[in-house]
């Protein structure tokens, strides 16, 4: 299969010219990104700076928590050790840390859509007292005291003064390169592979029952929907309703992508389901609204659940998970 992935990557790289950067990988069967690259042009120095910052706990108040503490590259930049995010002083957040990939195709961020631009997203975990408990202003002061960072900022922006805007744009620049588009599903879409019998049956089940919310090829419609979960009495998290104060948004959360499900458990906004089978079972005998006034009624036999699972596993993208360009920049922290 290595040769297949090599050819696939070579083919999808033909779309790079549209994005004006060899650093951003756009699979040929993906739609155009939502992110405006003209506002934050990518270069190797900026992506490298963002990568180093992503793994550096200096972004937290006590230098104990980095972005990667909750977003591991080996878990598609999610976290599997606990259901809720962890922060400084052993504090526990209210929500599960989602996987970070294909962010260039998102219009808003966080489980409730509270952040409207990727360049601003890092402000939420940085300023949260339950996560990093820091300010951008203080981060800049700390970074200015480190000669190695001055060099990285100069390489990124041709400017070693270091500003908060540069910190945020470098972080988003690195995250824009986290594109997951080389799974078996993608190779099938490119006409370079084929499903086995179970996967093919599962694909049909998926299209019949799941595709209105988990729209291909990103496997999300980027909307916010109440999927029948009961309110956790301890967390009391009402989702998007806490922003809009409307009843229709109560318990509405972002529709997550189904890519890389083997590596992004536990599932749901609060990580209440450890296993994929539990998440699938949740939808049994539920009459849900897809956000467009249409009812979703999922009734699957045991064999159909197995077939659906087989297809969902074809969305795993190990090339993405183990890409050395995304991993811990050991050279900087030695």
């Amino acid at each position: 299969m290595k040769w297949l992935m090599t050819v696939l990557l070579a083919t999808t790289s033909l779309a790079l010219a549209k994005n004006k950067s060899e650093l951003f990988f756009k699979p040929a069967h993906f739609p155009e990104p939502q992110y405006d690259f003209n506002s934050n042009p990518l270069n190797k120095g900026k992506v490298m700076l963002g990568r180093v910052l992503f793994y550096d706990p200096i972004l937290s108040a006590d230098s104990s928590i980095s972005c990667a503490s909750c977003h591991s590259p080996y878990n598609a930049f999610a976290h599997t050790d606990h259901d809720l995010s962890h922060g400084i002083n052993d504090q526990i957040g209210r929500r599960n840390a989602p996987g970070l990939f294909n962010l260039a195709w998102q219009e808003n961020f966080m489980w409730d859509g509270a952040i409207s631009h990727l360049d601003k997203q890092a402000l939420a975990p940085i300023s949260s007292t339950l996560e990093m408990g820091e300010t951008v202003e203080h981060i800049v002061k700390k970074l200015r005291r480190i000669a190695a960072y001055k060099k990285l900022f100069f390489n990124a922006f041709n400017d070693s003064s270091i500003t908060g805007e540069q910190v945020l744009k470098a972080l988003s620049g690195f995250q824009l390169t986290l594109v997951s588009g080389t799974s078996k599903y993608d190779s099938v879409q490119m006409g370079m592979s084929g499903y086995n019998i179970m996967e093919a049956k599962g694909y049909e089940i998926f299209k019949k029952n799941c595709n209105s919310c988990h729209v291909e090829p990103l496997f999300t419609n980027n909307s916010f929907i109440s999927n029948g979960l009961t309110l956790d009495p301890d967390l009391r998290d009402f989702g998007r309703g806490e922003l809009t104060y409307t009843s229709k948004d109560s318990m509405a959360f972002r529709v997550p992508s189904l890519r890389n499900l083997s590596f992004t458990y536990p599932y749901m906004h609060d990580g209440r389901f450890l296993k994929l089978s539990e998440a699938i079972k949740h939808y049994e005998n539920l009459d849900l609204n897809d956000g467009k006034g249409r009812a979703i009624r999922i009734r699957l036999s045991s064999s159909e659940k197995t077939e659906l699972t087989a297809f969902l596993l074809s969305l795993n993208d190990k090339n993405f998970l183990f890409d050395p360009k995304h991993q811990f920049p050991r050279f900087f922290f030695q």
Side-chain angles (χ1 to χ4, degrees):
M1 290 295 292
K2 282 188 176 181
W3 68 269
L4 176 61
M5 288 296 101
T6 300
V7 175
L8 174 61
L9 288 170
T11 304
T12 52
S13 67
L14 295 176
L16 293 174
K18 291 185 178 181
N19 300 288
K20 302 183 178 65
S21 173
E22 63 180 11
L23 298 166
F24 179 73
F25 159 60
K26 176 189 175 298
H29 57 293
F30 274 33
E32 289 300 310
Q34 295 289 332
Y35 189 86
D36 179 13
F37 285 86
N38 292 322
S39 66
N40 186 23
L42 299 188
N43 60 58
K44 291 182 179 179
K46 186 182 295 182
V47 172
M48 179 56 69
L49 170 60
R51 177 183 170 191
V52 172
L53 288 170
F54 188 89
Y55 285 93
D56 197 338
I58 198 173
L59 297 189
S60 63
D62 61 0
S63 293
S64 66
I65 299 293
S66 70
C67 301
S69 296
C70 287
H71 298 283
S72 166
Y74 303 110
N75 299 113
F77 290 91
H79 205 297
T80 61
D81 285 357
H82 37 252
D83 50 359
L84 301 173
S85 61
H86 285 202
I88 60 173
N89 303 318
D90 294 324
Q91 295 183 100
I92 300 176
R94 298 176 69 203
R95 292 173 179 168
N96 176 257
L100 300 181
F101 50 84
N102 300 341
L103 300 179
W105 287 270
Q106 285 188 211
E107 296 184 56
N108 42 44
F109 303 86
M110 317 298 283
W111 278 104
D112 54 11
I115 306 298
S116 61
H117 199 287
L118 182 59
D119 292 354
K120 302 176 183 177
Q121 187 279 329
L123 289 171
I126 286 173
S127 62
S128 171
T129 56
L130 296 178
E131 294 186 56
M132 292 174 149
E134 185 57 289
T135 67
V136 173
E137 292 77 14
H138 191 233
I139 289 172
V140 167
K141 289 182 180 179
K142 292 189 287 186
L143 294 174
R144 285 175 176 171
R145 294 195 288 262
I146 301 174
Y149 264 116
K150 290 184 179 180
K151 183 176 181 180
L152 284 179
F153 273 87
F154 184 82
N155 291 339
F157 297 99
N158 200 29
D159 176 7
S160 60
S161 61
I162 304 181
T163 68
E165 181 182 4
Q166 291 172 343
V167 170
L168 296 174
K169 285 195 171 184
L171 284 168
S172 62
F174 168 64
Q175 291 177 83
L176 286 167
T177 69
L178 304 180
V179 177
S180 177
T182 56
S183 67
K184 182 175 183 178
Y185 162 84
D186 298 300
S187 68
V188 173
Q189 292 299 304
M190 298 287 289
M192 307 182 74
S193 183
Y195 295 126
N196 61 36
I197 294 176
M198 289 188 65
E199 291 167 341
K201 289 182 178 180
Y203 185 32
E204 295 304 315
I205 294 168
F206 169 82
K207 288 190 289 186
K208 180 180 178 181
N209 295 279
C210 315
N211 199 34
S212 59
C213 294
H214 298 284
V215 179
E216 300 175 68
L218 300 171
F219 290 90
T220 175
N221 59 6
N222 286 320
S223 66
F224 302 87
I225 294 177
S226 174
N227 65 348
L229 291 175
T230 57
L231 179 70
D232 185 307
D234 296 320
L235 297 176
R236 294 195 59 78
D237 186 352
F238 291 92
R240 192 160 177 78
E242 295 184 1
L243 298 177
T244 65
Y245 298 101
T246 60
S247 58
K248 70 179 182 65
D249 287 332
S250 179
M251 292 299 293
F253 296 89
R254 172 182 297 284
V255 176
S257 174
L258 299 180
R259 287 178 173 270
N260 300 304
L261 285 176
S262 290
F263 310 102
T264 57
Y265 62 90
Y267 308 108
M268 305 300 173
H269 68 281
D270 53 7
R272 68 178 65 188
F273 298 137
L274 180 62
K275 298 179 179 179
L276 180 56
S277 59
E278 295 173 338
I280 293 175
K281 184 178 180 180
H282 165 71
Y283 291 101
E284 290 183 318
N285 302 316
L286 280 179
D287 290 337
L288 302 176
N289 190 299
D290 67 355
K292 298 180 181 179
R294 297 175 299 193
I296 302 173
R297 298 180 177 87
I298 300 176
R299 308 288 188 268
L300 301 179
S301 65
S302 295
S303 60
E304 288 174 326
K305 292 177 190 175
T306 300
E307 291 160 353
L308 175 60
T309 299
F311 167 70
L312 293 176
L313 295 181
S314 78
L315 303 179
N316 290 333
D317 187 355
K318 292 185 178 180
N319 292 286
F320 168 67
L321 264 69
F322 299 108
D323 189 334
K325 297 191 302 293
H326 302 153
Q327 295 171 11
F328 179 72
R330 193 172 305 278
F331 69 90
F332 184 84
F333 295 99
Q334 288 178 335

